[in-house]
Amino acid sequence: MFSATQSVLGLASGMLVGFSLGLVGGGGSILAVPLMVYVVGVPQPHIAIGTSAIAVAANAAINLSNHARGGTVMWSCALVFALSGMFGAFGGSILGKMLDGQKLLALFSVVMLVIAGLMLKTRARVGLTDVKISMSNMPAIIGLGLATGTMSGFFGIGGGFLIVPALMLATGMPIMNAVSSSLVAVTAFGVTTALSYAWSGLVSWGLAGLFVAGGIAGGLLGTRSARHLSERRGALNIVFAAVIIVVAVYMLLRNINVS
């Protein structure tokens, strides 16, 4: 059971997660796990990871429908990427539950720093329009889907900040299409990871509901902002990468002395 204050914090945190997913197609669990542990006060990291997986999967699905109505989802590439990644997410989630929770958070913070670097590296890239799956790009789509899915399951993250640059690398699609298409995989990876954690009883269903409720409102705002500010995506990536770096450093400092 959560206090009234924790419930409000959970709802507000969910809005931030939904806004991030709608705006840049990622940042769901990157933000959700630290918010659950350090803001809401979830005592066990594995419960925070399992709960965030469910909340992020639901919010990603809602945001996917918003982007799909705008016609920016490249379905053929997204579906193959997501399907291959689901196998990786299942295996990764099994490995993640075997690692100490605090150590997992410390390792998670290091990955966040790497992800921030990827965001900065791809901030100004101009992609190719009308990209479709083909024999030439299918190996890269399947291979990168499997790799990002494994990391998604291991760390209990939706993987959006990995998926967006991976889709751009594999297909050459523009970042706006990668943001929209990534939500297919974020939803699939989140569901796969969530099922694994739920089976182990590592989910707070009440908190997940609060995050989803807040994420609906935040996601609508994020999607609208993405459409209006797509030409400034590079600037937005810089700002969001800076936020990730700050959160990652904070998490690293709190967990670096874990033995």
Side-chain angles (χ1 to χ4, degrees):
M1 296 295 293
F2 292 95
S3 66
T5 300
Q6 286 178 308
S7 297
V8 171
L9 291 173
L11 193 64
S13 297
M15 292 181 66
L16 181 58
V17 168
F19 179 80
S20 172
L21 286 167
L23 184 64
V24 294
S29 292
I30 289 284
L31 293 174
V33 173
L35 286 171
M36 286 186 183
V37 174
Y38 302 121
V39 176
V40 180
V42 176
Q44 299 181 39
H46 282 120
I47 291 180
I49 290 171
T51 304
S52 72
I54 291 179
V56 169
N59 283 330
I62 294 169
N63 282 297
L64 174 61
S65 66
N66 295 333
H67 280 270
R69 285 194 292 270
T72 53
V73 179
M74 294 185 170
W75 290 100
S76 63
C77 297
L79 289 171
V80 173
F81 188 99
L83 182 61
S84 63
M86 288 177 69
F87 290 98
F90 180 75
S93 66
I94 294 175
L95 294 174
K97 286 184 291 184
M98 297 171 65
L99 189 65
D100 176 76
Q102 295 297 325
K103 291 181 179 178
L104 190 61
L105 286 179
L107 188 57
F108 189 16
S109 64
V110 175
V111 173
M112 288 172 67
L113 294 174
V114 175
I115 293 170
L118 289 174
M119 289 181 63
L120 292 173
K121 185 177 180 180
T122 60
R123 67 189 183 278
R125 181 173 178 176
V126 177
L128 305 173
T129 58
D130 299 326
V131 172
K132 295 181 180 179
I133 195 165
S134 65
M135 293 303 296
S136 62
N137 62 24
M138 185 178 293
I141 292 174
I142 293 175
L144 288 171
L146 184 63
T148 55
T150 300
M151 293 190 68
S152 171
F154 183 76
F155 291 110
I157 61 175
F161 285 142
L162 290 172
I163 296 165
V164 170
L167 281 171
M168 293 173 67
L169 178 62
T171 67
M173 67 175 64
I175 190 169
M176 186 62 199
N177 294 106
V179 166
S180 301
S181 302
S182 72
L183 292 169
V184 177
V186 172
T187 303
F189 294 178
V191 168
T192 304
T193 303
L195 288 174
S196 177
Y197 274 78
W199 181 263
S200 300
L202 298 171
V203 171
S204 171
W205 295 100
L207 181 57
L210 289 172
F211 263 68
V212 172
I216 293 174
L220 288 172
L221 180 59
T223 302
R224 291 175 182 174
S225 299
R227 291 172 182 166
H228 290 300
L229 302 175
S230 59
E231 294 182 357
R232 299 177 57 193
R233 182 67 56 186
L236 289 171
N237 277 12
I238 292 173
V239 171
F240 212 89
V243 174
I244 292 176
I245 291 171
V246 171
V247 175
V249 171
Y250 176 73
M251 291 176 63
L252 192 60
L253 290 175
R254 287 191 60 123
N255 293 282
I256 197 170
N257 293 322
V258 175
S259 58

